[in-house]
C-alpha cells in the first residue's frame, strides 16, 4: 500500500470509528442455532427443559478477509426421546450487524428461513415463558432471528442443519472483533461429542495482536507473516458455556498497541483495562543476548531424564540467533564449563557434542552452579546484553550451601537487571519455593516437568517462545488516568510470535486534584471519548527507546470479560505470595472476596462456595479464618508442584476460566452446575435460587417480582439486557442500577419499573498527572508479541520517539 493510500486509510478509519462504535457497542453476541421442540404428543407432557434434543456436534468454519466474515455452521440434532419430535429452529442474529447471504439446509436440502424482527422473536420467547414456564430463551431478547420449521424427527433419528451467512466486521480504532457464541449448555440434553471453530484470517493491512478473550488458553494460533493467520479451537465431550470471541488489530506502525476497557455501571469509580501490544512478526534483527544453560548431572539424573535433558539443550543450541553468545555448565558435587567464557554461535555444534558426552554422577550443588552462571552474566552486563539463564535440576540441594534462604540471598547479591532466569524442576523431588522465587526475582518463569512429561518438549517449548526479544527493561507511564493493581506485577519481556497480557484497574481523579505535569504530545486524539497518552520505554542494545500511544477512554459492554480476567490474575499472584512469603490476612481476605465476586474457584473458597452466608461479610470472614487455621502447605513433592503450576496458570491466564463447580441435586440425583457467569456478573445456586454475588442480604432488600407476571414482562421491556439474568431460571436474585430484584413464584410485590433510559456512571474528570509503574522491574518487548492490560475501551497507536 502506498504512503498516500495509507494516510487516506487512516483518516477514513478515524472518521468512521465513532460511527462504528455507535452501531456496535451495545450489540449482544450472535447466538448459535437451537431447535425449540413442540410439546410432545403424549399425556402430561414434560417441561421444556426435559424435551431438548441432543446436539451431537457443532462445527463452525469462518473465513475473514478484510473485515468481511463468512460463517458456516453445521449441527446435528438427535432425538433421544421416546416420542416423535418436531419444532422450530431459531438462529438469533446480531443486533445492528450487517448480515447477508443467509442460506440454510436441512439434511442437505435447501429450506427457506423466515427473518423475524426483534419484536416478533421476542414474542416467541415470551410465549414460551407464559405457556411452558421456561425463561431460558430470554437472553436473546432484542435480537432479530431466522426461523425455520423442522419436520418430525423419529425416536433415535437426527437432522443435520447447515447454514451460512456473511457479515461486515467494523474497525474500531484499529481493532476488529468477531463473536460466535457457543453457550449451548441449556439446549442440549447431553454434552456435545465434537465442538470446533476454525478461522482463516487474512488482512490487507498488517495484523499485530490476535487474541481470544474467551478461549485464548484453548486455541492454537498459527501466524504466516503479518497478513495471514489461522486459528483453531476444538473440544470433545463438552457443554460449551462461553461465546467464542476473537479480536485482532491492524496497524501500519512498527508496534501496534490497542486498549480494551470496561467501566462498570456502579459507584466504585474504577474501571478495568486490557492492554494489547504487538510488534511486527517479521523481524529483521533480534536483540543480541547471552544464553547460559545450566544442567544438573547428579546421579539421580541417570537414564531417560539425562537423555531428554541433553536433547533439550541441543535444541536451544541449534536455535540461537546469529549474534547471540552462549555457554553450558554441568553441575553435580562440583561443576564444569564447556568453555571458560561466553562463546559465539559458530561453536554451538561443538557444545552440543560436549553435552552429549556428559554423565550423571555425584550430588547436587545448586548454589555453586547458580553463582558460576551469574558470573558469566557479569560479562553480559558490561556489554549491556540481556542474559537468559536456563536452569535444569531434578532434586534438592545436597552439597555445599543447602539452606534455601541462603541460596536465594547469594543469588540476589550476584544477579543484575540484565538476567532472566528460567528454572525447570524435573520430577517431584524439587523445592518449589526455591525455583519459583528464583524466577519471580529474576523476571523469568518456572517450568515443572512432571514424571509423565518429557524434558526436551517442555524446555524447547519455552525457548521457542523467548527466542527473539525486541525491547527489554520495560516501563509504562500513564497520563490522564491513575493505573493501579496491574498484573503481571513485574512487566515481562515481550518476544516475537508471543502475546503478553497486562491487566489492571484505573480511575480518573477529579480535575481539582490536578497538578499539570509535562507529558508527550500525541497526534490528534481519536474520536469517541476522552483522549489519553501512554508512554512505553525500554532498551534495545543498551539504548533507551520510547513509544508514545494515543487512545480513547470510554465504556463498552462488549468487554465485560475484563474484570474476571483481572481477578484471575490477581488471585494467582496473591496465592503465590502467600506460598512464598507466608500467610497474610489482607491477602487471604482479598482472595476470598475476589473468588466469590467473580466466581473463580480457589482453595480458599471451593469448600465454602455453597455456604448460605458466603455472600455476607460474616461468611467471608469465617472462610478466611478457616483457611488461615489450616496447616502450611509443603514446598516439596507432587502436591507442591501441582499447586505451583496451578498458581502460575492463574497468574499468566490469557482468558478467565469458565465456571467449573457442579454438585449432585439431593432430590433428582442429577449433577447440576452451581456457578454461572453472565456478563461481568457471577451467580451462585443457593437453595434453588440463582443469586448475584454482589447481593448482600445483610444490607440489601430485594424487590420481589412474580415469575411470568405482567410486572415481570414490564421489567424485561424496560431493560431487555436483564433478560440474560432472567434466563437463568424461575428463581433469581440480581442487582442492577443500585436495586436488588428477586424473581419468585406467585404475584410478587408492586415493583417500581425503571425508566426506559438507564442512568450510567460516568468517570470523573481527568488530570494530566502521570501514573507510573516503572518502579517495578522491567521486561522486554519482542516482534510478534502482544501485551494486554485490563481497563477502559480505547485503541492506541504506538509511535517511536527518536
Amino acid at each position: 500500500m502506498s504512503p498516500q493510500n495509507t494516510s487516506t486509510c487512516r483518516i477514513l478509519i478515524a472518521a468512521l470509528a465513532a460511527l462504528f462504535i455507535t452501531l456496535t457497542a451495545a450489540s449482544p453476541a450472535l447466538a448459535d442455532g437451537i431447535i425449540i421442540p413442540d410439546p410432545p404428543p403424549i399425556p402430561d407432557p414434560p417441561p421444556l427443559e426435559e424435551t431438548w434434543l441432543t446436539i451431537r456436534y457443532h462445527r463452525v468454519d469462518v473465513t475473514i478477509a478484510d473485515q468481511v466474515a463468512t460463517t458456516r455452521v453445521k449441527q446435528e440434532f438427535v432425538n433421544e426421546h421416546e416420542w416423535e419430535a418436531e419444532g422450530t429452529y431459531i438462529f438469533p442474529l446480531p443486533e445492528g450487524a450487517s448480515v447477508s447471504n443467509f442460506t440454510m439446509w436441512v439434511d442437505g436440502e435447501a429450506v427457506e428461513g423466515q427473518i423475524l424482527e426483534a419484536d416478533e422473536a421476542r414474542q416467541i420467547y415470551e410465549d414460551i415463558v407464559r405457556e411452558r414456564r421456561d425463561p431460558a430463551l430470554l437472553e436473546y431478547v432484542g435480537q432479530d432471528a431466522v426461523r425455520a420449521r423442522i419436520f418430525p424427527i423419529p425416536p433415535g433419528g437426527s437432522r443435520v442443519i447447515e447454514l451460512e451467512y456473511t457479515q461486515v466486521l467494523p474497525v474500531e480504532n484499529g481493532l476488529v472483533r468477531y463473536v460466535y457464541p457457543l453457550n449451548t449448555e441449556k439446549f442440549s440434553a447431553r454434552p456435545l461429542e465434537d465442538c470446533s471453530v476454525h478461522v482463516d484470517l487474512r488482512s490487507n493491512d498488517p495484523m499485530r495482536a490476535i487474541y481470544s478473550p474467551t478461549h485464548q488458553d484453548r486455541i492454537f494460533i498459527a501466524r504466516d507473516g503479518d497478513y495471514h493467520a489461522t486459528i483453531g479451537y476444538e473440544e470433545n465431550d463438552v457443554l460449551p458455556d462461553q461465546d467464542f470471541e476473537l479480536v485482532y488489530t491492524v496497524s501500519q506502525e512498527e508496534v501496534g498497541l490497542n486498549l480494551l476497557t470496561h467501566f462498570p455501571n456502579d459507584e466504585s469509580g474504577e474501571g478495568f483495562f486490557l492492554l494489547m501490544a504487538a510488534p511486527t512478526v517479521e523481524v529483521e534483527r533480534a536483540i543480541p543476548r547471552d544464553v547460559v544453560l545450566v544442567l544438573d548431572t547428579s546421579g539421580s539424573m541417570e537414564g531417560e531424564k539425562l537423555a531428554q535433558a541433553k536433547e533439550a539443550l541441543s535444541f536451544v543450541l541449534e536455535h540461537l540467533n546469529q549474534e547471540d553468545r552462549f555457554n553450558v555448565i554441568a553441575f553435580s558435587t562440583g561443576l564444569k564449563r564447556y568453555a571458560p567464557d561466553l562463546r559465539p554461535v559458530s561453536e554451538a555444534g561443538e557444545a552440543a557434542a560436549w553435552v552429549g558426552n556428559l554423565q550423571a554422577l555425584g550430588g547436587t550443588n545448586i548454589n555453586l552452579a547458580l553463582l558460576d552462571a551469574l558470573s558469566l552474566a557479569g560479562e553480559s552486563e558490561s556489554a549491556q546484553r540481556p542474559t537468559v539463564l536456563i536452569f535444569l535440576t531434578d532434586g534438592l540441594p545436597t552439597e555445599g550451601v543447602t539452606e534455601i534462604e541462603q541460596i536465594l540471598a547469594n543469588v540476589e547479591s550476584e544477579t543484575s537487571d540484565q538476567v532472566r532466569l528460567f528454572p525447570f524442576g524435573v520430577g517431584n523431588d524439587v523445592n518449589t519455593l526455591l525455583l519459583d522465587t528464583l524466577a519471580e526475582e529474576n523476571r523469568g518463569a518456572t517450568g515443572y516437568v512432571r514424571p509423565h512429561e518429557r524434558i526436551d518438549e517442555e524446555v524447547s517449548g519455552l525457548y521457542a517462545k523467548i527466542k527473539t526479544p525486541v525491547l527489554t527493561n520495560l516501563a509504562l507511564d500513564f497520563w490522564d488516568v491513575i493505573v493501579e493493581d496491574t498484573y503481571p506485577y513485574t512487566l515481562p519481556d515481550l518476544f516475537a510470535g508471543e502475546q503478553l497480557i497486562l491487566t489492571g484497574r484505573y480511575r480518573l481523579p477529579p480535575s481539582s486534584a490536578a497538578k499539570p505535569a509535562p507529558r508527550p504530545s500525541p497526534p490528534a486524539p481519536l474520536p469517541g471519548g476522552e483522549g489519553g497518552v501512554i508512554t512505553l520505554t525500554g532498551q534495545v542494545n543498551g539504548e533507551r527507546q520510547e513509544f508514545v500511544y494515543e487512545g480513547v477512554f470510554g465504556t463498552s459492554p462488549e468487554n465485560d470479560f475484563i474484570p474476571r480476567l483481572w481477578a484471575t490474575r490477581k488471585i494467582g499472584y496473591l496465592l503465590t505470595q502467600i506460598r512464598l512469603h507466608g500467610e497474610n490476612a489482607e491477602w487471604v481476605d482479598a482472595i476470598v472476596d475476589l473468588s466469590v465476586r467473580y466466581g473463580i474457584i480457589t482453595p480458599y473458597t471451593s469448600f465454602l462456595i455453597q455456604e448460605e452466608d458466603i455472600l455476607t461479610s460474616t461468611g467471608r470472614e469465617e472462610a478466611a479464618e478457616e483457611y488461615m487455621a489450616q496447616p502450611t502447605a509443603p514446598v516439596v513433592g507432587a502436591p507442591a508442584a501441582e499447586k505451583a503450576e496451578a498458581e502460575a496458570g492463574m497468574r499468566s491466564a490469557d482468558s478467565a476460566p469458565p465456571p467449573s463447580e457442579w454438585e449432585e441435586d439431593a432430590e433428582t440425583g442429577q449433577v447440576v452446575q452451581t456457578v454461572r457467569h453472565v456478563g461481568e456478573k457471577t451467580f451462585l445456586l443457593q437453595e434453588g435460587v440463582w443469586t448475584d454475588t454482589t447481593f448482600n442480604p445483610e444490607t440489601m432488600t430485594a424487590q420481589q417480582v412474580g415469575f411470568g407476571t405482567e410486572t415481570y414482562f414490564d421489567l424485561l421491556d424496560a431493560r431487555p439486557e436483564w433478560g440474560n439474568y432472567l434466563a437463568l431460571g424461575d428463581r433469581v436474585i440480581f442487582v442492577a442500577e443500585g436495586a436488588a430484584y428477586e424473581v419468585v413464584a406467585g404475584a410478587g410485590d408492586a415493583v417500581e419499573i425503571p425508566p426506559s433510559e438507564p442512568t450510567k456512571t460516568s468517570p470523573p474528570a481527568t488530570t494530566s498527572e502521570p501514573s507510573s509503574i516503572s518502579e517495578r522491574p522491567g521486561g522486554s518487548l519482542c516482534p510478534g508479541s502482544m501485551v494486554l492490560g485490563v481497563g477502559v475501551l480505547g485503541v492506541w497507536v504506538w509511535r517511536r520517539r527518536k
Side-chain angles (χ1 to χ4, degrees), residues 618-632:
T618 301
R620 297 187 189 193
E621 289 173 4
E622 292 175 352
E625 290 173 1
E626 185 170 341
Y627 184 85
M628 294 283 284
Q630 293 181 350
T632 304

Side-chain angles (χ1 to χ4, degrees), residues 386-428:
T387 297
V388 172
L389 198 163
I390 297 178
F391 178 80
L392 284 81
T393 182
D394 76 332
L396 306 175
T398 61
E399 302 276 356
V401 178
T402 58
E403 293 294 325
I404 300 302
E405 292 78 9
Q406 187 60 53
I407 294 175
L408 292 172
N410 292 343
V411 170
E412 183 180 9
S413 66
E414 297 298 325
T415 192
S416 72
D417 289 341
Q418 301 289 349
V419 173
R420 310 290 187 268
L421 205 163
F422 297 91
F424 281 85
V426 181
N428 293 326

Side-chain angles (χ1 to χ4, degrees), residues 307-322:
Q308 292 181 15
K310 290 178 178 180
E311 290 290 334
L313 267 59
S314 295
F315 176 90
V316 175
L317 292 169
E318 291 170 4
H319 291 82
L320 295 170
N321 296 319
Q322 285 301 311

